[in-house]
Amino acid sequence: MEKDLEKLQENDLNLKSLIQTFNMTLESIEKRLSRLEKMDSIEHRVEVNQIDLSDIKDSLQRIEDTHNNDLLHINRRLDTHLVKIAKLEEEMIISKSK
């Protein structure tokens, strides 16, 4: 009978130890899940910000391309006008010298 009682006590201690280990493992898992949730939230914010920044960059690139095309067109027109003015000045100089 004493042996059975000792076995029961030993089993009880083993069971308590297993429950404690299980509780510690659960706490560890909960902490890790909590960190993962926070990470997921942070990662989501980073992704959203990256998308926003990418959209802004694309928009700026389009604006820059449009303005560059406009500026190139304006520069060509100015060059054409400068060439015309230079030809007129040359013709005026030639006609004055005659």
Side-chain angles (χ1 to χ4, degrees):
M1 183 91 163
E2 275 185 45
K3 286 185 179 182
D4 287 340
L5 186 62
E6 282 179 23
K7 276 188 175 181
L8 276 175
Q9 286 177 340
E10 187 178 314
N11 285 341
D12 185 47
L13 287 175
N14 285 339
L15 188 60
K16 285 181 182 179
S17 173
L18 280 172
I19 290 173
Q20 283 179 339
T21 303
F22 183 71
N23 281 335
M24 288 170 47
T25 303
L26 276 178
E27 285 176 17
S28 173
I29 290 171
E30 286 175 350
K31 286 179 186 176
R32 291 178 69 193
L33 283 174
S34 173
R35 278 189 279 145
L36 281 175
E37 286 173 1
K38 288 178 186 174
M39 285 295 291
D40 190 37
S41 174
I42 290 170
E43 287 174 355
H44 176 72
R45 278 190 240 140
V46 167
E47 286 176 12
V48 167
N49 287 338
Q50 284 177 341
I51 290 169
D52 289 344
L53 289 175
S54 294
D55 289 345
I56 291 169
K57 181 182 174 190
D58 290 343
S59 296
L60 287 174
Q61 186 67 41
R62 273 187 261 123
I63 290 169
E64 186 177 280
D65 289 345
T66 301
H67 284 287
N68 279 342
N69 287 338
D70 290 343
L71 287 175
L72 285 173
H73 180 70
I74 291 170
N75 282 337
R76 283 189 207 125
R77 289 187 68 195
L78 285 173
D79 287 343
T80 303
H81 286 297
L82 287 172
V83 168
K84 286 180 184 178
I85 291 171
K87 285 181 181 178
L88 284 173
E89 285 179 343
E90 187 180 349
E91 287 177 15
M92 286 174 58
I93 293 171
I94 292 172
S95 66
K96 279 185 185 178
S97 63
K98 285 186 180 178

